[in-house]
Amino acid sequence: MKGKRENWGSSFGFILAAAGSAVGLGNIWKFPYIAGENGGAAFIVVYLISILLIGIPIFISELIIGRKSQLNVVGAYKKLSNNNPFWSIVGYMGIFTAFVILSYYNVVAGWSIGYFFEGLKGTFNDFTTVELASNYFGNQTSSTFWIISWQLIFVALSVYVVFSGVRKGIEKYSKLLMPILLIILIFLAVWGSSLKGGSAGLAFLFKPNWGSINGKVILIALGHAFFTLSLGMGAIITYGSYFSKDDNILTSALWVVFLDTFIAIVAGIAIFTSVFSMGFNPADGPGLIFNILPTVFNKMPGGNIFGILFFLLLSIAALTSAVSLLEVITSYFVDNKNYSRHRVVIISAFITFLVGIPSAMSFGLLKDYQIFQKSFFDIMDFLSANILLPGGGLLIAIFIGWKYGYKKSLDALESGSNEWFKSNIFFAFLGKKVPAKKLSIGNVWFIFIRFIAPVLITLVFLKSIGII
Ligand code: TRP
C-alpha cells in the first residue's frame, strides 16, 4: 500500500491511498445533493465546522490506533484495550458498517458506470433539457435489469481490484487520474459560473440562510463530514496500520482533509451554477448530478467526450473508495480466520451485492415500500452516515481520550512528527516551531479528542432527536 518514496515526502504513498478512499461519490454525488436538500450555504458551514472541530481530530486518532496496533479494526481495538470485550464490539461495529455502506455505495457507483456507457452510446446528445435527462434517469433507475447489472459489474470490478493486485496499479493510476478529475471539475465550475444565472448558484452555496438549520440538518452535515473523510468505522485505522513510525500523522491527515474538502466544494460550484442557470430545483435528491451534468455536457462544445471522461473518472474514484471499505472487512477475516484472501473478498463482496439489491430497487419496483417515509436506500444511507459513523467516531474519541489516555496517545503521535507536536499551535500556523508547555499542537488536539469532539457529537445526536 505504501507508494514509492524516493522523490516525495515520506507519507506521500499514504496520502494518495487515503485520498483515494476519501474522494469518491461522497464528494461529487452526495455532497451536492444533500447540500441542495438542506439549504445550501448554511449547511456547508456546519459541514466545514464539523470537519475542522471533529473530523481532523478523529482522523488523527484513527491513524494513531492503526499505526500503534498494526492490525485490522477489530484486532486494533482488542490489542490497544488489552482484550476488553466492549472495545472488540466497537471493532465489529466497524465491519458491520462497511457492509451497510457498501451495499448502497455499489448501487450509485453502478449508475456511474452505467452513465459512462450511456455517454459512449451518445445518449447525452438527446438531453436538450433537464426534464428529458431526468426522465431518462428515472427510467433507467427503475429498470431492475439495468440497475442490478451495473451494480454487479461494479462489485465484480472492486473484487478484481482487491485481489488481482491491480490495487497498486490503481493507486499509481489515481496519481494521474484524480488530478484529471479535479481539472474537469474546475473546468465545469468555471463553465457553470460563466452561464447566465450561474451566479445564483454561487449565492446558494456561499450566502448562508441560517433559518434552514435545524437538528436534522446539523446531524446530516456531521454525518457527511464522517462519510466524506472515510471516518468512524476503521477504514483510516486499517490504512494507518500500514504507516511506519517515520510517517508524519498530522501533515498526512491535514493533506487528505484539505484535498477532500476542496474537491467537494469545487464539485458543489460546478453543479449548483448549472442547476440555477437551468432554472432547476436544487433539492432534486440522489439523481441530481445524473440529471444536471449530462444536460450540461449536451450544451457544451465537445461535451460528449467530456461527459464520457467525467463518468469514467467518477467510477474510478468510487472504485478506490469501495476498495477501502472492502479492505476493512477483508483484513479482519484474513488476519483472524485464516481464510484465504480471495475467498474472503469474493464472499464479502457478494454479500454486499445481495444486501444492496433492495437499495438498487428502491427507485423502481420497491419505490412504494417505505418505512418512516424512507426507502430502503435512504434507510441504509441514514443508518450508516448519520448513526453508525458519528456513533463510531464518538467511540473512537472516547477510546483515545479516556481509555488509551494522554501519555500513550501523545507518544504515539510524536513519532515521525518532527517535534511539531510540541510546538506552540499559534506559532505553528505561522510556520514556526516554538516549543510550548501548554498550548502545543499535541495538547490542543488531545483537548479536542477528550472533550470537545465527544461533547459536540453527543449534542448533535440529542438535538437531532429533539431532546435539546
Ligand atoms: N469517503 C468515501 C466517499 O466520499 C466513501 C468511503 C470510503 C467511506 N470508505 C469509507 C465512508 C469509510 C465511510 C467510511 O465517497
Side-chain angles (χ1 to χ4, degrees):
M1 171 164 315
K2 292 235 66 98
K4 286 198 193 133
R5 290 175 168 209
E6 305 96 68
N7 302 319
W8 305 97
S10 69
S11 304
F12 191 70
F14 165 81
I15 292 173
L16 271 186
S21 165
V23 177
L25 296 171
N27 307 60
I28 296 164
W29 158 74
K30 193 173 180 194
F31 174 69
Y33 101 73
I34 56 176
E37 280 180 343
N38 292 288
F43 170 88
I44 294 175
V45 171
V46 181
Y47 153 81
L48 292 175
I49 294 176
S50 309
I51 289 203
L52 213 61
L53 302 187
I54 301 173
I56 294 175
I58 291 185
F59 204 108
I60 294 172
S61 307
E62 286 206 27
L63 286 180
I64 291 181
I65 297 176
R67 177 164 77 177
K68 230 12 229 186
S69 63
Q70 304 274 311
L71 285 170
N72 65 79
V73 58
V74 176
Y77 276 114
K78 277 194 180 150
K79 182 167 172 186
L80 301 190
S81 73
N82 295 323
N83 279 321
N84 177 321
F86 173 77
W87 292 106
S88 312
I89 294 175
V90 175
Y92 289 115
M93 199 176 104
I95 293 179
F96 174 71
T97 309
F99 277 106
V100 178
I101 297 180
L102 268 175
S103 72
Y104 74 94
Y105 203 85
N106 292 334
V107 173
V108 181
W111 299 347
S112 179
I113 314 187
Y115 262 55
F116 164 59
F117 277 90
E118 296 296 334
L120 288 178
K121 273 178 16 198
T123 310
F124 305 157
N125 294 333
D126 304 332
F127 295 165
T128 44
T129 65
V130 193
E131 280 63 36
L132 288 172
S134 15
N135 286 343
Y136 193 82
F137 180 74
N139 280 338
Q140 297 307 89
T141 49
S142 56
S143 146
T144 308
F145 176 75
W146 189 84
I147 211 148
I148 291 193
S149 317
W150 289 117
Q151 180 199 3
L152 187 60
I153 287 171
F154 181 79
V155 172
L157 280 174
S158 53
V159 168
Y160 175 74
V161 169
V162 173
F163 72 56
S164 69
V166 182
R167 169 111 196 241
K168 283 200 188 93
I170 275 246
E171 271 158 19
K172 237 186 268 157
Y173 292 130
S174 32
K175 218 186 282 191
L176 180 73
L177 295 176
M178 290 306 111
I180 301 180
L181 179 61
L182 181 59
I183 291 170
I184 293 193
L185 285 172
I186 292 177
F187 180 83
L188 286 175
V190 173
W191 175 269
S193 307
S194 73
L195 295 175
K196 202 161 146 259
S199 55
L202 294 176
F204 180 75
L205 279 174
F206 298 115
K207 283 217 184 98
N209 161 16
W210 300 110
S212 60
I213 295 289
N214 58 36
K216 192 183 121 246
V217 170
I218 297 175
L219 179 66
I220 294 175
L222 173 71
H224 189 65
F226 279 96
F227 186 89
T228 192
L229 296 176
S230 304
L231 289 179
M233 49 71 72
I236 302 301
I237 293 182
T238 309
Y239 274 28
S241 72
Y242 302 98
F243 246 47
S244 87
K245 65 180 184 355
D246 304 324
D247 288 331
N248 189 334
I249 287 185
L250 178 71
T251 47
S252 312
L254 291 179
W255 263 112
V256 176
V257 172
F258 169 75
L259 283 173
D260 187 79
T261 311
F262 183 68
I263 291 181
I265 299 288
V266 176
I269 298 175
I271 310 280
F272 284 109
T273 49
S274 306
V275 166
F276 280 83
S277 78
M278 291 179 203
F280 199 61
N281 171 17
D284 185 41
L288 183 66
I289 68 162
F290 295 91
N291 297 333
I292 287 296
L293 291 181
T295 326
V296 174
F297 298 134
N298 176 288
K299 296 193 183 337
M300 191 187 269
N304 210 7
I305 295 181
F306 230 69
I308 294 168
L309 202 57
F310 173 83
F311 284 109
L312 176 66
L313 294 172
L314 181 61
S315 308
I316 294 172
L319 200 55
T320 54
S321 300
V323 161
S324 78
L325 286 156
L326 206 49
E327 180 69 28
V328 171
I329 305 173
T330 310
S331 64
Y332 166 70
F333 284 104
V334 171
D335 286 356
N336 286 288
K337 302 284 177 205
N338 267 330
Y339 297 149
S340 85
R341 196 172 162 86
H342 284 195
R343 216 170 102 191
V344 173
V345 174
I346 293 194
I347 295 174
S348 25
F350 194 67
I351 296 175
T352 66
F353 167 71
L354 292 180
V355 183
I357 288 178
S359 294
M361 291 165 63
S362 291
F363 301 85
L365 277 183
L366 299 182
K367 206 181 205 151
D368 299 324
Y369 289 85
Q370 303 211 333
I371 308 171
F372 299 125
Q373 291 169 350
K374 281 188 177 354
S375 66
F376 200 83
F377 180 97
D378 297 333
I379 291 173
M380 288 293 157
D381 180 32
F382 189 84
L383 172 68
S384 52
N386 300 336
I387 297 177
L388 292 168
L389 296 179
L394 175 62
L395 290 164
I396 287 166
I398 293 175
F399 182 76
I400 285 289
W402 297 88
K403 169 95 187 152
Y404 198 58
Y406 177 76
K407 171 107 190 36
K408 282 199 226 159
S409 302
L410 264 88
D411 283 350
L413 201 51
E414 235 134 31
S415 169
S417 86
N418 252 329
E419 306 277 305
W420 274 106
F421 272 96
K422 294 182 184 150
S423 164
N424 180 296
I425 189 159
F426 299 110
F427 282 104
F429 276 120
L430 304 173
K432 284 205 191 108
K433 221 184 277 179
V434 177
K437 281 238 164 57
K438 292 217 176 79
L439 281 183
S440 66
I441 298 186
N443 285 350
V444 172
W445 164 75
F446 197 75
I447 294 170
F448 269 83
I449 214 65
R450 185 173 162 105
F451 301 107
I452 299 179
V455 168
L456 287 179
I457 298 172
T458 309
L459 288 177
V460 174
F461 272 136
L462 294 177
K463 180 137 182 80
S464 70
I465 49 177
I467 291 186
I468 53 172

